[in-house]
């Protein structure tokens, strides 16, 4: 059978932008290598979870790897923790965390990401201070800074379990079952964690979370690192916003169990790493994730070792969130010029099935993930060209693959690879 190469460009999908003559960033970007794939493959659109849902990356990735999220998803926190090498037991409370900036008198949020210039080193030093100085009543915790302003918190009760059925303290997101939905015009104050049911476990979760947030705030606002940031004219990272609690890891069958195939994964962010590890994919580490030629080299190497390779490049999502049309277009062009250019000449399409798609759309005009379906193309020899001339949302809308659901893509790739 053929090998499978599954490439996901985070947040690739977009909407027509006025400043680009009503093209999307992908359509406006100069992408000769991706277009060369479109000129021999089949295109389509994919709803990462299902029509009308604007997913977060974690649920989206689980879904596009073939898992039914309604059945398996347990919240983002446990996946982030798992991908950050923190063990999550059933009954632990795991949160996705963000360093942010608040007004120290009113707790009004001034910047959701502490200016987006908190270095990983600064964040790690702040986390160390929080871990050594904060003590919780009746529980232990691990707080870990991951990448930039991002982090993860796991609280473990000394006796008994905790429940994730609690509201976010991050006002930007509201709980909806195990999911969080980004809300427009959110309240500006840090919210108190409140239990969403009357169980003792949820009550304890809320109490411990509030205790952690306020004790961490006291430590952070007086930290030397934040004093220095204020002196440098930067925003202090003086609060930890928490969202997306979960109290267990998803219990999913591995890809090996499902398809009998071995997979390697090349991913960048903890949450994607957490999912990749859970699915049983072997991690192919990437020393410098800003070097796209290295990504291409790693993919080619991994294709020799595994039946399938999953590569998840973060690039276009961040400028999408920041509303930077040119930034997102540049990021797509860079991936084409440095990743695909170094990859495509070395692929033998009689031996590999290549899929290129996204985990969700992040339109610049929205500065958030949207429910728009994502562009998709599948290329391999013997899989007849559908007449597409370029890789973009409008060509994908006319492509032969039609409109599929995220969880059906991997089974489809396996089927094509077996032909
Ligand atoms: Zn994403
Ligand atoms: Zn995003």
């Amino acid at each position: 059978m053929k090998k499978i190469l599954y490439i996901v460009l985070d947040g690739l999908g977009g909407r027509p932008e006025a400043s680009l003559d009503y093209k999307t960033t992908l359509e406006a970007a100069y992408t000769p290598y991706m277009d060369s794939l479109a000129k021999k493959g089949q295109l389509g659109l994919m709803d990462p979870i299902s029509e009308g849902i604007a997913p977060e990356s974690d649920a989206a990735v689980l879904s596009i790897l073939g898992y039914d999220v309604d059945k398996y998803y347990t919240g983002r926190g446990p996946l982030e923790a798992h991908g950050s090498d923190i063990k999550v037991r059933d009954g632990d409370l795991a949160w996705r965390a963000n360093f942010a900036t608040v007004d120290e008198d009113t707790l009004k949020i001034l910047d959701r990401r502490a200016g987006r210039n908190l270095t990983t080193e600064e964040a790690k030093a702040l986390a160390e201070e929080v871990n050594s100085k904060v003590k919780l009543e009746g529980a232990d915790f691990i707080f870990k800074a991951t990448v930039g302003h991002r982090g993860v918190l796991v609280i473990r009760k000394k006796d008994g379990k905790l429940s994730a059925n609690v509201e976010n303290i991050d006002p930007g997101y509201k709980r909806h079952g195990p999911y969080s939905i980004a809300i427009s015009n959110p309240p500006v104050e840090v919210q108190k964690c409140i239990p969403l049911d009357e169980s003792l476990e949820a009550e304890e979760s809320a109490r411990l979370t509030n205790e952690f947030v306020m004790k961490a705030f006291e430590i952070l606002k007086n930290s030397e690192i934040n004093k220095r940031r204020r002196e440098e004219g930067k925003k202090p990272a003086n609060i930890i916003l928490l969202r997306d609690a979960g109290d267990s890891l998803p219990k999913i069958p591995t890809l090996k169990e499902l398809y009998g195939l071995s997979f390697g994964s090349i991913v960048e962010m903890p949450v994607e790493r957490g999912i990749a590890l859970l699915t049983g994919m072997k991690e192919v580490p990437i020393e410098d994730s800003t070097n796209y030629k290295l990504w291409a080299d790693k993919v080619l190497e991994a294709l020799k070792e595994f039946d399938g390779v999953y590569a998840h490049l973060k690039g276009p999502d961040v400028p999408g969130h920041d509303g930077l049309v040119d930034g997102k277009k540049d990021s797509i062009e860079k991936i084409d010029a440095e990743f695909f250019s170094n990859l495509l000449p070395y692929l033998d399409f009689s031996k590999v099935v290549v899929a290129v798609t996204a985990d969700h759309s992040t339109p610049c005009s929205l500065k958030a993930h949207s429910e728009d379906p994502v562009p998709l193309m599948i290329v391999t020899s013997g899989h007849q060209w559908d007449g597409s001339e370029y890789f973009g949302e409008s060509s994908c809308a006319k492509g032969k693959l039609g409109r599929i659901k995220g969880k059906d893509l991997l089974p489809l790739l396996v089927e094509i690879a077996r032909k």
Side-chain angles (χ1 to χ4, degrees):
M1 80 176 271
K2 289 177 181 166
K3 304 240 171 172
I4 294 168
L5 172 54
Y6 190 161
I7 299 166
V8 170
L9 309 181
D10 202 306
L12 177 70
R15 289 181 183 173
E17 300 286 347
S19 67
L20 298 175
D21 257 344
Y22 296 95
K23 287 180 174 170
T24 68
T25 44
L26 174 60
E27 287 164 356
Y30 177 64
T31 54
Y33 290 96
M34 283 192 267
D35 293 346
S36 76
L37 281 176
K39 282 177 193 160
K40 56 183 165 210
Q42 295 185 1
L43 275 58
L45 290 173
M46 178 169 82
D47 292 293
I49 293 179
S50 55
E51 245 173 271
I53 291 183
E56 287 294 300
S57 286
D58 58 341
V61 170
L62 202 57
S63 178
I64 65 174
L65 285 171
Y67 296 94
D68 181 348
V69 288
D70 288 337
K71 189 166 160 194
Y72 294 119
Y73 186 70
T74 60
R76 179 170 189 143
L79 296 170
E80 294 265 359
H82 194 61
S84 311
D85 294 318
I86 302 174
K87 279 216 160 57
V88 180
R89 295 187 208 153
D90 288 358
D92 287 351
L93 184 67
W95 290 96
R96 157 69 194 254
N98 264 13
F99 280 105
T101 308
V102 284
D103 179 290
E104 290 175 1
D105 299 318
T106 61
L107 286 189
K108 279 192 176 152
I109 295 172
L110 304 175
D111 192 305
R112 293 187 46 81
R113 302 182 181 96
R116 231 200 232 290
N117 57 12
L118 187 70
T119 65
T120 300
E121 290 68 39
E122 286 175 316
K124 288 206 188 304
L126 289 171
E128 229 178 89
E129 249 186 287
V130 168
N131 281 310
S132 62
K133 294 183 182 164
V134 172
K135 300 279 174 264
L136 297 180
E137 241 168 86
D140 296 318
F141 74 90
I142 300 172
F143 173 62
K144 191 163 178 178
T146 55
V147 182
H149 59 274
R150 304 168 187 85
V152 58
L153 169 71
V154 176
I155 304 177
R156 178 173 297 162
K157 221 178 156 221
K158 283 181 179 147
D159 52 349
K161 292 186 171 184
L162 294 170
S163 158
N165 202 17
V166 287
E167 189 53 89
N168 298 317
I169 75 129
D170 182 338
Y173 296 85
K174 213 167 168 48
R175 274 302 277 263
H176 213 268
Y179 302 99
S180 283
I181 309 284
I183 46 178
S184 41
N185 303 317
V188 288
E189 292 90 6
V190 174
Q191 303 291 293
K192 263 211 150 47
C193 183
I194 50 166
L196 295 173
D197 63 46
E198 283 169 6
S199 69
L200 182 67
E201 287 84 359
E203 220 168 86
E204 275 293 276
S205 292
R207 175 188 70 81
L208 286 163
T209 300
N210 289 323
E211 189 184 335
F212 172 84
V213 170
M214 290 320 293
K215 285 184 171 170
F217 169 63
E218 290 302 322
I219 301 298
L220 292 172
K221 74 176 180 190
N222 298 311
S223 163
E224 283 302 317
I225 288 163
N226 278 327
K227 267 185 203 145
R228 205 175 59 220
R229 283 179 64 82
R230 284 188 201 96
E231 281 161 18
E232 291 167 352
K234 294 177 186 155
K235 291 169 180 158
N238 56 7
I239 196 99
I240 299 167
L241 296 180
L242 300 171
R243 60 180 162 106
D244 302 341
D247 53 26
S248 64
L249 277 170
K251 294 172 180 74
I252 56 172
T254 63
L255 296 177
K256 184 104 201 172
E257 286 163 349
L258 290 170
Y259 307 106
L261 302 175
S262 67
F263 273 84
S265 68
I266 313 176
V267 303
E268 197 175 337
M269 303 302 280
V271 68
E272 280 103 41
R273 182 170 182 263
I275 295 168
L277 293 174
L278 273 185
T279 64
M281 290 197 256
K282 206 140 170 241
E283 185 180 16
V284 178
I286 183 129
E287 296 77 23
D288 175 9
S289 63
T290 62
N291 179 347
Y292 286 130
K293 177 174 184 306
L294 184 64
W295 277 83
D297 293 344
K298 291 275 175 184
V299 164
L300 292 166
E301 240 171 76
L303 274 175
K304 290 182 198 150
E305 189 181 341
F306 302 101
D307 301 319
V309 174
Y310 175 77
H312 188 122
L313 288 76
K314 182 76 182 159
D317 185 54
V318 172
H321 280 284
D322 293 340
L324 302 172
V325 172
D326 290 334
K328 187 170 174 187
K329 183 170 149 271
D330 289 349
S331 151
I332 296 167
E333 289 180 348
K334 194 172 154 69
I335 289 173
D336 195 72
E338 294 170 21
F339 174 68
F340 284 101
S341 70
N342 286 302
L343 175 72
L344 301 190
Y346 307 101
L347 291 179
D348 177 349
F349 288 92
S350 69
K351 296 200 171 87
V352 64
V353 182
V354 179
V356 183
T357 188
D359 52 347
H360 51 76
S361 298
T362 313
C364 296
S365 48
L366 218 67
K367 296 189 179 180
H369 300 180
S370 71
E371 69 278 16
D372 300 283
V374 295
L376 163 70
M377 63 180 161
I378 300 177
V379 190
T380 188
S381 64
H383 201 233
Q384 205 189 8
W385 179 49
D386 67 1
S388 301
E389 290 289 342
Y390 67 95
F391 188 46
E393 286 81 348
S394 30
S395 57
C396 285
K398 295 180 217 137
K400 192 178 171 199
L401 294 171
R403 186 161 172 173
I404 70 166
K405 271 192 181 176
K407 76 174 164 54
D408 298 328
L409 178 57
L410 192 56
L412 175 66
L413 296 177
V414 172
E415 186 190 314
I416 296 170
R418 285 204 167 118
K419 261 186 202 153

